[in-house]
Amino acid sequence: MLFRSMKIKLSGILLIICLSLSFSGNSLHAQQETMYSQYMFNMLQINPAYAGNLTDDNITTLCRKQWVGTKGAPTTESLSWDRRGEGSNVGYGLQLYNDQLGIESTSGFQAFYSYRIPFKRSFLSFGMSGGIMYYRAAFSTVTTTQNGDPLFQEDVSNWLPTVGVGVLYATEKWYLGLSVPALLKTKINTNNSLVTTSADNHYFLTAGYIFDA
């Protein structure tokens, strides 16, 4: 019992330290990227260099619901298509997606382009993506402790640009990729005007290996 009590206290101390370090910069950074449970089935969203990885038409649809039954729980849907022509080093693709979390919702469209450099038993692919998304925050639906709070009187919405880049190296047995799906940090100010700055970028490192059955 004594060991268990000490373990609980130690966990609490570590939690307090982590929270203190998080707030020490006087700022908080919220999640920017859409979450998926099965990233290996939606590599196009993570790394544009994956576009046209297959010469055939590749169509993927995903739906993710978290905390089912909870009001405002995260919900994400996406539909994507990509391909590469036979004997071509150019790949391309398209994606539609919708993401909802609480009072916030984001719907968007992206186009992907990749170019691969083939080697004897592997290839190196470079990719980029660009698109537009519609962001909306329904502040007027929030129940506040203070009636008439001016910050929660009007909804905010606008069209925002998206840009991403990535690189992928693959062989017959394994692959390794590095990407930045969102190069732009797009925000909407209180006047409902678009503000675009350099992003606090999210870097995605992906890897995989094919084992023989």
Side-chain angles (χ1 to χ4, degrees), residues 5-100:
S5 177
M6 292 178 62
K7 186 177 181 180
I8 293 175
K9 290 182 179 179
L10 180 60
S11 299
I13 293 173
L14 290 175
L15 178 60
I16 293 174
I17 293 174
C18 291
L19 290 175
S20 300
L21 291 175
S22 300
F23 284 97
S24 62
N26 296 324
S27 63
L28 290 176
H29 300 278
Q31 175 189 317
Q32 296 174 334
E33 298 304 308
T34 304
M35 289 187 62
Y36 295 94
S37 297
Q38 302 293 340
Y39 282 98
M40 64 176 294
F41 296 116
N42 196 31
M43 291 291 292
L44 192 65
Q45 169 69 27
I46 303 171
N47 192 340
Y50 192 81
N53 185 61
L54 302 175
T55 55
D56 297 328
D57 291 296
N58 182 34
I59 300 176
T60 304
T61 179
L62 293 173
C63 179
R64 180 180 188 270
K65 290 183 177 291
Q66 186 176 349
W67 308 329
V68 177
T70 303
K71 184 178 180 181
T75 301
T76 304
E77 301 101 4
S78 70
L79 174 64
S80 63
W81 162 84
D82 69 289
R83 71 160 293 143
R84 176 174 53 87
E86 185 71 34
S88 174
N89 292 321
V90 175
Y92 41 87
L94 301 171
Q95 183 185 51
L96 295 172
Y97 63 91
N98 179 62
D99 185 58
Q100 294 184 339

Side-chain angles (χ1 to χ4, degrees), residues 178-192:
L178 178 64
S179 60
V180 185
L183 285 174
L184 300 178
K185 178 171 61 179
T186 49
K187 292 186 176 182
I188 301 175
N189 59 26
T190 55
N191 296 323
N192 205 29

Side-chain angles (χ1 to χ4, degrees), residues 102-157:
I103 64 171
E104 294 183 305
S105 63
T106 304
S107 300
F109 168 82
Q110 289 193 100
F112 302 88
Y113 174 87
S114 70
Y115 184 83
R116 66 166 54 189
I117 301 174
F119 301 105
K120 186 175 181 180
R121 294 184 179 179
S122 62
F123 68 86
L124 179 64
S125 177
F126 299 91
M128 63 181 300
S129 64
I132 190 170
M133 68 179 183
Y134 181 73
Y135 172 83
R136 181 175 183 270
F139 290 112
S140 61
T141 63
V142 176
T143 301
T144 61
T145 56
Q146 179 182 354
N147 294 330
D149 191 327
L151 295 178
F152 294 90
Q153 295 301 305
E154 296 184 5
D155 298 340
V156 171
S157 62

